[in-house]
Structures are given as structure tokens and as C-alpha cells.
Amino acid sequence: MKAAPFAYVRPTTPQDVVAELAAAQAHGEAKVIAGGQSLVPVLAMRLGRPTTLVDITRVERWQQIETADHVRIGAAVRQRTVERHRDLGVPLLSRALPWIGHREIRSRGTVCGSLAHADPASELPAVALTLGARFGVNGPKGTKELTAAEFFRGAMTTALEPGEVLEYVDFPRARPGQGFGFAETARRHGDFALVGITAMVETDGDRVRRARIGAFGVADRPQLIDVTDAVGELLSGEVQRADAGRVTDALAEAADALVTTGGDKHASAAYRRRLVRVLGGRELISATQRSMRRNH
Ligand SMILES: Cc1cc2nc3c(=O)[nH]c(=O)nc-3n(C[C@H](O)[C@H](O)[C@H](O)COP(=O)(O)OP(=O)(O)OC[C@H]3O[C@@H](n4cnc5c(N)ncnc54)[C@H](O)[C@@H]3O)c2cc1C
């Protein structure tokens, strides 16, 4: 099948993007197109029939990655560009990016496009939630910033209103005493995850002060839970991979809370809970070790 006819515009400034979206929205449905890796299949299958596509990839200001105490990634920045960045300082993001589809997909797909698409099995929404990223939105009513918890509203659903565009996302850079872990299980390389896990641990010497795990592929949106009480003591001291069994056992309650999706043809809910515990336990240990060795 081919896409239904649509108008196509390619503005070069943020103001023009917002103006084009408003103008098109007045007599039809306008859609932002960034990398097109999710939108084009939707159009081709006629699951969506927007009347105008507003291509944002020529907006120079949104092609930038700015690094300060946080990392600001503009709306037109491709996933692969961030993956190849040498001094990003956001280790969880760098670990997660290679897991997205295939290199060809990441060479076109944008970081903000993935966040705006909000697939519940996507890596980047979970990374954003875990790190407390901030989302810069521009639209007819002006600009605003949202937290990840405010931004993700459900499966493929965000707080973006018609005519609004996600301009940038801000990720905090890693601080001393933090360690991160990331893992996912998919049926084949490049497939969306059955379950994915993020781990973030903060240590003080050999003591764990705070431990959290995030999960994706387990609910209608990314999830995050504090597991300090459940595993903080187990992770403190000289924690080893061999301790993974005990950490896995201690994550039973967390896994129950994180996995709210029922089973589907790929995996049962029980199998997903098991994956959360096993991957979560393993990544919490890795994150703790990295934090204590000061290499994030
Ligand atoms: C074979 C294949 C495998 C894939 N595997 C994975 C995977 O494992 N994990 C994963 O996370 N993704 C995967 N993807 C999706 C890929 O990461 C997409 O690139 C990404 O989800 C969307 O980014 P995009 O820039 O291509 O957005 P587009 O496809 O251009 O847009 C997607 C949606 O977001 C909206 N949008 C885009 N940018 C903005 C913005 N700045 N503001 C407001 N709305 C915006 C569009 O209107 C559209 O509704 C896969 C895709 C393919 C084709």
C-alpha cells in the first residue's frame, strides 16, 4: 500500500515550524516528520492520514548537541550522531542507543522522534525517565518544559498537543558516585525488546545510598521504581556477580509492580517479570561496581 496524499513543507527555523503546524492544523491534521522511521511505515499502511507533514530536519538550531552540566539534544539530532559522540557524559544513554533497531535505522531516526513516538517497548523513553530528563516543548501557546513523568501519558501517547513540537531533550550528565546499567532481551537482534532494564545506583564509598530500576516493554509507558530498601544492603560492600541470585530474589515485589502488561504472543506476563528480576539483578550489580570504581 502507498501513503495517502499529503502536503510537505520543510521550514528552517523553530518559529516557522510552529507557524506551519498551526496553519496546517487549521484545515486538516499536521504531523511533524523527523527521521521518518516510525512515521513512514504508519503512512504507508494508512494507519494515519495526516494532510501535511512538517519536516523539521533542516532547522539548524535543532541539529545541535549542547554539553554543559546537562546534555541538550535538539529535535533534528539523529540517534547515531549521539551514539558516536565521544564526550557525551550520559553513560546510560550511550549504553542504550546501540540497542535501537539497526544502524541504518539509527542513522535516520532522531532521539526526540523516538521520545515523541513513545513506543512502550522503546529504549529511550525509559532512559529519559530513569535519568530525570527534561523535555522542551514549543507550540502555539509558547514554550514549556516537562519532566519525563509528565511527558509520557500511555502507549504511543504523550503530553504533546496538536500543533506542538518537542524542541529538545535535556539529559543530566553523570555525577561522581553514580553507576548505570542497561540490558534488554529481544527475540532477534534489532527487534523491539520483550523486556528492557535500566539501572541507576548511587554509592558513598562501599555503601549504596540509592538504587533504582527502570523497565520498558512491561507496561503502557516506561516504568521506574526505587529498590533501595529491597537491595541496598545486598549491594553494599564487595558485591559480586555471584550475588546475582540473592538480588534477583529480592526484586520479586519490584517486578510485580513494574510489569502491568498482560501476556502477548511473544511472552507471558510471568516471563516478563522473571526477566525484570534477572536482568534487573544483574544490571544493579554492574551499576554498583561501576559506581564504586568511578567509571559509571
Ligand atoms: C525496522 C525498525 C526497527 C526499529 N527498532 C526499534 C527499536 O528496537 N527500538 C526503538 O526505540 N525504536 C525502534 N525503531 C523506531 C526508530 O527508533 C524510530 O526512529 C523512532 O521511533 C522515531 O524517530 P524518527 O526520528 O524516525 O521519528 P518519525 O518517524 O519521523 O516520527 C515518529 C512520530 O513522532 C512524531 N515526532 C517526531 N519528532 C517529533 C518532534 N520533535 N516533536 C513532535 N513530534 C515528533 C511524528 O509526528 C510521528 O508521530 C525501529 C524502526 C524500524 C523501522
Side-chain angles (χ1 to χ4, degrees), residues 21 30-42 53 56 62 74-79 99-102 105-106 108-119 121-125 151 158 160 164-168 184 190-193 216:
L21 283 171
K31 273 261 171 213
V32 168
I33 182 162
Q37 297 303 292
S38 298
L39 184 58
V40 170
V42 166
L53 294 188
I56 60 169
W62 293 349
V77 176
R78 315 275 181 193
Q79 294 158 9
W99 289 89
I100 299 176
H102 304 273
I105 307 291
R106 304 195 296 276
R108 307 273 331 156
T110 61
V111 167
C112 287
S114 174
L115 297 169
H117 192 57
D119 190 308
S122 269
E123 291 78 3
L124 298 186
F151 188 77
T158 69
L160 287 173
E164 288 187 334
V165 57
L166 177 61
E167 276 196 294
Y168 62 82
E184 72 177 53
D191 279 6
F192 276 93
F216 54 99

Side-chain angles (χ1 to χ4, degrees), residues 34-96:
Q37 297 303 292
S38 298
L39 184 58
V40 170
V42 166
L43 299 181
M45 289 185 276
R46 299 207 177 185
L47 297 171
R49 298 176 75 140
T51 45
T52 304
L53 294 188
V54 180
D55 186 335
I56 60 169
T57 54
R58 291 285 168 93
V59 178
E60 207 179 312
R61 201 166 109 206
W62 293 349
Q63 293 165 353
Q64 317 291 328
I65 301 177
E66 294 165 28
T67 51
D69 55 334
H70 59 252
V71 174
R72 175 162 297 183
I73 298 174
V77 176
R78 315 275 181 193
Q79 294 158 9
R80 184 83 176 135
T81 308
V82 182
E83 186 183 341
R84 289 166 60 90
H85 197 289
R86 296 239 169 248
D87 184 30
L88 204 61
V90 189
L92 185 60
L93 180 60
S94 300
R95 277 197 192 104

Side-chain angles (χ1 to χ4, degrees), residues 252-269:
E253 230 176 85
D256 285 347
L258 286 170
V259 181
T260 57
T261 183
D264 54 35
K265 65 181 174 186
H266 300 301
S268 66

Side-chain angles (χ1 to χ4, degrees), residues 92-278:
L92 185 60
L93 180 60
S94 300
R95 277 197 192 104
L97 277 161
W99 289 89
I100 299 176
H102 304 273
R103 196 170 47 197
E104 293 76 4
I105 307 291
R106 304 195 296 276
S107 297
R108 307 273 331 156
T110 61
V111 167
C112 287
S114 174
L115 297 169
H117 192 57
D119 190 308
S122 269
E123 291 78 3
L124 298 186
V127 169
L129 180 68
T130 306
L131 295 178
R134 297 194 67 83
F135 293 64
V137 175
N138 199 344
K141 295 183 203 151
T143 58
K144 61 186 171 191
E145 269 204 359
L146 300 174
T147 63
E150 291 164 339
F151 188 77
F152 297 111
R153 292 276 170 88
M156 315 283 193
T157 309
T158 69
L160 287 173
E161 289 174 16
E164 288 187 334
V165 57
L166 177 61
E167 276 196 294
Y168 62 82
V169 56
D170 277 351
F171 289 97
R173 301 187 92 182
R175 297 190 305 274
Q178 290 184 324
F180 303 90
F182 181 94
E184 72 177 53
T185 293
R187 281 160 57 87
R188 292 170 309 189
H189 169 71
D191 279 6
F192 276 93
L194 289 179
V195 166
I197 284 290
T198 60
M200 178 165 143
V201 173
E202 291 173 14
T203 59
D204 191 356
D206 69 352
R207 307 298 307 163
V208 167
R209 281 197 298 120
R210 195 170 187 203
R212 289 195 281 177
I213 52 173
F216 54 99
V218 298
D220 70 344
R221 67 194 87 175
Q223 302 292 306
L224 181 66
I225 196 165
D226 193 301
V227 291
T228 315
D229 287 346
V231 299
E233 278 303 312
L234 286 172
L235 293 173
S236 294
E238 279 293 298
V239 65
Q240 301 294 336
R241 281 261 172 186
D243 298 317
R246 284 192 294 148
V247 180
T248 296
D249 289 344
L251 290 176
E253 230 176 85
D256 285 347
L258 286 170
V259 181
T260 57
T261 183
D264 54 35
K265 65 181 174 186
H266 300 301
S268 66
Y271 181 60
R272 286 194 160 92
R273 281 195 287 275
R274 175 85 191 140
L275 282 176
V276 165
R277 290 167 61 189
V278 172

